[in-house]
Amino acid sequence: MTPYSAGEKQTLHASLNRHRDAVLWKLQGLDDEQLRRPMTPTGTNLLGLVKHLASVEYGWFVETFGGETEPLWFDPYENEDMRITPDEATDRIIAFYGRARAAADAMITELPLAAQGHPSWRDITVSLRWTLVHMIEETARHAGHMDILRELIDGTTGDHPPISSTG
């Protein structure tokens, strides 16, 4: 079933995955210096945005709904999830994002949309439905930032690779 005719949960999950894939596509073909290059006065770079997105996937989908997250080697409450240190290998950050996505996907698959969770950093209760919408927004927002950064680095634009006219 395509996301164009799927149910609500599958449609939301497909939308999240589309933006997640765009995030990873923004990294393709760049070297380590380009991925780490600060592109704004605050130091925003492509790899830092991936680290941040991994952190929030773990937080919102896994921790909020009582799942087990891997120990973080940084403090996301001090914005360390947006920064890349010299000792953080690019492969480590990309693998971290992959693990966060997989852990989030397991929770999305396991829980109904009406499931209730409690983020430890806020005094609120959220549904999985709200969390999916929130993370679609969060991921799309940062994918947009990444689109601008990528264009500044090498002129590449768009949210997915162009479709080949021969394929």
Side-chain angles (χ1 to χ4, degrees):
M1 180 177 294
T2 69
Y4 303 113
S5 60
E8 181 182 9
K9 185 177 183 180
Q10 293 79 17
T11 300
L12 291 170
H13 199 178
S15 178
L16 177 61
N17 279 328
R18 182 173 190 277
H19 296 299
R20 287 166 157 178
D21 292 345
V23 163
L24 292 175
W25 181 63
K26 289 296 163 188
L27 307 178
Q28 290 180 4
L30 297 179
D31 64 30
D32 201 56
E33 183 279 325
Q34 292 169 316
L35 294 172
R36 294 166 178 274
R37 185 184 303 165
M39 299 300 295
T40 68
T42 59
T44 302
N45 63 67
L46 291 169
L47 204 55
L49 287 168
V50 174
K51 183 181 175 185
H52 169 71
L53 286 170
S55 174
V56 296
E57 289 250 2
Y58 266 130
W60 280 110
F61 284 120
V62 184
E63 181 184 336
T64 294
F65 291 95
E68 192 169 324
T69 64
E70 66 181 87
L72 301 180
W73 66 93
F74 56 88
D75 185 349
Y77 304 109
E78 295 296 324
N79 285 328
E80 292 177 9
D81 63 335
M82 294 288 284
R83 295 185 189 95
I84 298 298
T85 62
D87 65 319
E88 292 177 305
T90 297
D91 290 346
R92 179 183 190 190
I93 301 302
I94 295 170
F96 175 53
Y97 186 53
R99 291 189 307 276
R101 281 181 65 166
D105 287 345
M107 298 303 283
I108 294 166
T109 299
E110 176 185 325
L111 299 170
L113 286 174
Q116 301 289 295
H118 308 280
S120 64
W121 61 94
R122 290 196 186 158
D123 188 23
I124 59 173
T125 299
V126 297
S127 69
L128 180 63
R129 177 182 288 105
W130 181 90
T131 303
L132 272 161
V133 171
H134 174 68
M135 286 305 301
I136 291 166
E137 294 167 341
E138 176 87 359
T139 306
R141 177 175 161 245
H142 290 309
H145 295 145
M146 293 177 79
D147 193 39
I148 293 166
L149 299 182
R150 180 66 189 254
E151 183 177 3
L152 291 170
I153 291 169
D154 71 354
T156 301
T157 61
D159 64 352
H160 287 83
I163 298 172
S164 167
S165 60
T166 61

